Amino acid sequence: MVERMLLRGAQVLTCSGDPDEKPLEREVLVEGNRIVKVSTSPIDVDAASVRTVDLHGATILPGLSDAHTHISWPLDFVFDHDGVAASPPNQHILDVAAVARTFLESGYTSIIGAGVLQHDDDLLAKDFIDRGLIPGPRIVPSGPMVTAPGALGADGGMMDVAADASTMRDIVARQCDDGIRAIKLFISGDGIMPEFPSEDTYMNDEMLEAAVDEAAKHGAIITVHARSAESVAMAARTGVQLIHHACFVDDDALSALEARHGDVWVCPGLHYVYAMVHGHAEPWGMTPDRLERSGYSNELESMVESLRKLHASGVQILAGGDFGHQWTHHGTYAAELQRYVELVEMTPVEAIHTATRNTGPLLGLEVGQVREGYLADLFIVDGDPTEDITILQRPERRRAVIKDGAFAYVNPHRYP
Ligand SMILES: [Zn+2]
């Protein structure tokens, strides 16, 4: 028999689209892994065949999503990509499992990989999570990042290197055959490595079109590290689905993004740059001098301005971005939403949408709304995140996480 569960005594934020939605008292009936009814009046059920859970005034919102994750970065990660890549795989994969669990316990029920440090990190974690062997979110798995000769990461041995469209097609096909569903390309520099400025653009239209075309044959998406305006415009006009960073957006880039309305998503990683510029990384060697050379301060200003433009023109923005360094520690993922409220002038609900309803269509899953027929991925917190967005990043406010219709995490400090 299919399990039925009635959640009552809760305020529900449905994320149905109203940017000023307030949580309202509602009951939610879950059957198997789906939400079958959401009602402002009591739902009449046969008590003997339904498990009723009283949430004592907590808020239910959709499970959150992060569209730019590196579960390869352990909980104590600093900036040592090479060290992690070379670490013993058995130790490393347990670090990865701990990170997957941290995402879930932080209310994140879906994540999109943005590149790994050991080839199978996302694939192995996804396999074990999907089989119910370890706790973790739904994962769209990524593999090694793909860069171009002479570009950022090309000589480190950790990335795949594509020189032309045909090599690109081969790399994408091979990654897809391995089960990878989010292929990450480096198409711009990153000022944190000053010899590869953020304003530099790598690859060309032909290579990106080949990547998008090959990925589509396997039901996979292309994601790009794109900081320069030129790289953002190129990604938008060649059909790339998920554009990371978009720190610089000029008129060309903006109109290319607008032309693909509903079919392209931007995931900025704003908190990461904010934390760097505000000195949070200084204890770990990101000195004012290195920061100065990175150009990040200028980049943060440009990012905020770009995001305001994108938001105003209705481009879909997804939360996420390089969490896992000590200055953007695993578990603090929802700090990204706080920055959208503070810096991009989103309402708290709009910020929450970037981690809920905006992601479902890209994932091809009915997630991100508390709505009949949708998957029962839910986050239960104390307090009203539309009044105080920071609630979502406070461990003591987390009561429970439901994934696929079942309690996947219950805060041991709250229950029993
Ligand atoms: Zn990243």
Side-chain angles (χ1 to χ4, degrees):
M1 205 182 82
V2 183
E3 295 249 354
R4 302 176 86 207
M5 177 166 67
L6 178 65
L7 305 172
R8 62 173 29 148
Q11 309 291 316
V12 179
L13 186 74
T14 63
C15 293
S16 57
D18 173 2
D20 297 309
E21 184 185 353
K22 286 278 156 203
L24 278 186
E25 196 167 333
R26 291 182 171 95
E27 296 196 353
V28 179
L29 183 63
V30 175
E31 203 173 285
N33 67 347
R34 297 266 168 186
I35 297 163
V36 292
K37 199 170 170 74
V38 182
S39 173
T40 48
S41 50
I43 299 176
D44 193 21
V45 291
D46 168 17
S49 67
V50 175
R51 175 187 179 195
T52 298
V53 180
D54 188 337
L55 291 169
H56 302 288
T59 302
I60 299 178
L61 67 156
L64 304 176
S65 56
D66 186 298
H68 183 142
T69 69
H70 299 283
I71 60 171
S72 290
W73 297 352
L75 295 175
D76 61 356
F77 186 61
V78 180
F79 206 70
D80 184 13
H81 299 82
D82 296 324
V84 173
S87 66
N90 52 2
Q91 157 86 43
H92 174 66
I93 201 64
L94 288 172
D95 279 331
V96 170
V99 169
R101 168 188 165 164
T102 303
F103 267 102
L104 181 79
E105 293 185 353
S106 308
Y108 283 73
T109 49
S110 300
I111 60 174
I112 300 176
V116 297
L117 290 179
Q118 295 195 14
H119 188 280
D120 293 337
D121 287 346
D122 282 6
L123 291 170
L124 285 170
K126 176 182 166 52
D127 179 46
F128 271 62
I129 291 164
D130 289 353
R131 289 196 284 141
L133 301 176
I134 60 170
R138 300 173 193 277
I139 298 181
V140 181
S142 61
M145 300 181 223
V146 186
T147 189
L152 181 58
D155 56 4
M158 278 187 297
M159 296 194 193
D160 286 336
V161 181
D164 54 35
S166 114
T167 323
M168 175 65 83
R169 196 175 278 281
D170 290 346
I171 290 170
V172 172
R174 183 165 38 78
Q175 289 205 3
C176 287
D177 285 343
D178 289 340
I180 289 157
R181 289 293 173 266
I183 290 105
K184 167 87 177 284
L185 315 182
F186 253 80
I187 65 167
S188 87
D190 190 321
I192 201 63
M193 314 295 264
E195 59 279 35
F196 299 101
S198 295
E199 290 83 352
D200 285 2
T201 300
Y202 315 136
M203 303 195 189
N204 55 44
D205 284 35
E206 207 192 348
M207 290 170 78
L208 264 59
E209 279 161 3
V212 169
D213 181 60
E214 190 61 37
K217 292 181 192 165
H218 302 264
I221 59 167
I222 297 296
T223 76
V224 292
H225 169 104
R227 300 187 96 90
S228 70
E230 200 188 339
S231 66
V232 173
M234 178 166 70
R237 70 175 174 261
T238 53
V240 167
Q241 289 88 358
L242 179 52
I243 300 175
H244 293 302
H245 310 305
C247 307
F248 301 97
V249 173
D250 59 13
D251 291 347
D252 272 2
L254 184 62
S255 51
L257 284 166
E258 284 174 334
R260 297 227 356 252
H261 185 75
D263 177 41
V264 67
W265 289 261
V266 171
C267 177
L270 180 59
H271 177 69
Y272 175 80
V273 179
Y274 176 93
M276 290 280 231
V277 170
H278 287 82
H280 301 183
E282 206 177 327
W284 293 277
M286 291 294 164
T287 57
D289 174 56
R290 181 162 182 193
L291 223 87
E292 174 71 35
R293 281 183 294 137
S294 74
Y296 264 21
S297 174
N298 169 36
E299 205 159 321
L300 175 63
E301 241 173 75
S302 169
M303 247 178 135
V304 168
E305 192 194 320
S306 301
L307 276 167
R308 286 182 187 178
K309 268 195 276 185
L310 296 179
H311 179 52
S313 59
V315 173
Q316 302 254 60
I317 297 168
L318 297 187
D322 286 322
F323 280 84
H325 294 89
Q326 297 315 288
W327 53 94
T328 56
H329 207 274
H330 281 295
T332 64
Y333 315 111
E336 183 73 6
L337 309 187
Q338 181 190 348
R339 300 300 164 219
Y340 296 163
V341 173
E342 288 175 356
L343 303 175
V344 188
E345 294 167 348
M346 288 190 195
T347 68
V349 175
E350 285 172 329
I352 292 169
H353 286 173
T354 69
T356 56
R357 63 173 283 116
N358 293 4
T359 320
L362 176 60
L363 297 171
L365 290 174
E366 288 162 320
V367 294
Q369 298 183 52
V370 185
R371 181 172 166 178
E372 287 170 23
Y374 270 52
L375 288 166
D377 286 5
L378 303 168
F379 187 20
I380 301 163
V381 297
D382 271 329
D384 179 356
T386 71
E387 291 290 332
D388 177 3
I389 192 75
T390 68
I391 282 173
L392 298 176
Q393 53 187 294
R394 308 230 300 263
E396 76 280 7
R397 295 299 195 114
R398 297 170 189 151
R399 283 202 185 191
V401 178
I402 293 173
K403 189 186 136 203
D404 235 4
F407 277 87
Y409 169 69
V410 176
N411 187 338
H413 300 291
R414 297 295 311 266
Y415 302 101

